[in-house]
Amino acid sequence: MSTVRTRFAPSPTGFIHLGNIRSALYPWAFARANGGVFILRIEDTDLERSSQAAVDVIIEGMRWLGLDHDEGPFYQMQRMDRYKAVLAEMVAAGHVYPCYMSMAELDALRERQMAAKEKPRYDGAWRPEPDKVLPPVPEGVKPVLRFKNPQGGVVAWEDKVKGLIEIRNDELDDLVIARPDGTPTYNFCVVVDDIDMAITHVIRGDDHVNNTPRQINIFRALGQEPPIYAHLPTVMTETVDEQGEKHVSKMSKRNGAKPVTQYRDEGYLPDAMVNYLARLGWSHGDDEIFSRAQFLDWFNLDHLGRSAAQFDEAKLRWVNAQHLKAMDDGALSTLVAEQLAKAGIKADDRLPAICGLFKDRCDTTVALALWASAFYAPVTPNADELTQHVTDAVKPAIQALATQLGDCAWDKASLSAAIKAAITAHGLKMPQLAMPVRVLLMGTAQTPSLDAVLALHNRETVLQRLRIA
Ligand code: GLU
């Protein structure tokens, strides 16, 4: 079998969101799972809407998620000469013809067809046929070039998601493949690229499914067999309108979607994102949580879902929490250190252990960094908890504990012994002392066990925070 070659072909218009990047994840995974090649192609022919800033964000998002490409990025705007050369071959082979129909004539044609309840389509007025007399060429008008779509028969392909799709050629009119100024149009460029890049599998959003029969016909006119296609169902998302009503619609830039890189800033893990996005349109039995390696081991095109998937932020958070818990403390601390740095906080070698102690109660690295910050920056105790727990009655016991902590050994066992001694000496129950001490040290009483928390603090910080009581 030939090497698998897949591509991600984004148009760099606006930011890239989760719905878009899923169309990168699957071709990437399919290439990796099959020892193939993954290509990045930037479809930047829409000059008005494309920008280098958008390309940068696509590349940054892919790098963050670990979707590395082997070839490219190729830019369509840099391949214009190549498209024009292939266009010239098409002209020479008689696959295209000039069409001089003006916009006004096209509009009139469309209106006549609509009035007759017909599907609006180009009527082939300028298509040369044996014995046909073409209209006189108008003066000073530059023609478009139209592709001679085959007449009769069907275009069919076995879509890896949608199954067999058959379109009658009569449904397809002769597509414009070059504008009056000679620049090639979208569907033509895609086919030339997919041929030149030897793409074996096109995995893309199903908003392109209507282009596919046209592209297949162009492939065949160029003497090539088309690749295998897999058209992914849309990613839907729920939004709430101004009246508070919920709507489910296609995820889009205008519709509640966030840029991919924002999830990094909000404390999501790349592996969790890959896991969540993988499940948004593909399944491996009932498996919900899996590693990148497992995903690549399992991924194939046979278990892509047919129905639209709905984005669910709560589930994404849950998946993230599972990955966070399972992650090695050292690796996790690197990401938490980055979050702390954003708040101007410099961590130290206690951070891996801090992450280990608190990760079970966090769903993002941002939440974890918030806990960790209590070890490196001043805390502001929650006012209600302060009043509730740090009472005058318990202050002498807190001071006694502070005194003990002034010179005891700084390990969990010794710290635990010091706490027990203070409780006994003041006739208190464990929570009566542990709660106020937690509020003073961490800002809240809801923390892991006090001896573990104490052990990770510096002695000086502890004494300073307890003396305030
Ligand atoms: N540039 C197209 C898009 O961003 C993708 C085209 C393709 O994958 O064939 O939707």
Side-chain angles (χ1 to χ4, degrees), residues 206-222:
D206 66 4
D207 45 336
H208 290 282
V209 85
N210 290 335
N211 289 330
T212 305
R214 297 183 178 283
Q215 293 181 3
I216 289 177
N217 282 336
I218 300 174
F219 265 98
R220 299 225 162 103
L222 288 168

Side-chain angles (χ1 to χ4, degrees), residues 7 9-11 41 43 186 190 194 202-204 207-208 215:
R7 76 330 187 257
S11 305
R41 177 167 90 217
E43 302 201 326
Y186 175 73
V190 169
D194 284 341
V202 168
I203 304 166
R204 61 183 172 198
D207 45 336
H208 290 282
Q215 293 181 3

Side-chain angles (χ1 to χ4, degrees), residues 379-391:
V379 297
T380 310
N382 175 286
D384 290 344
E385 290 189 278
L386 204 56
T387 325
Q388 186 191 344
H389 296 295
V390 188
T391 58

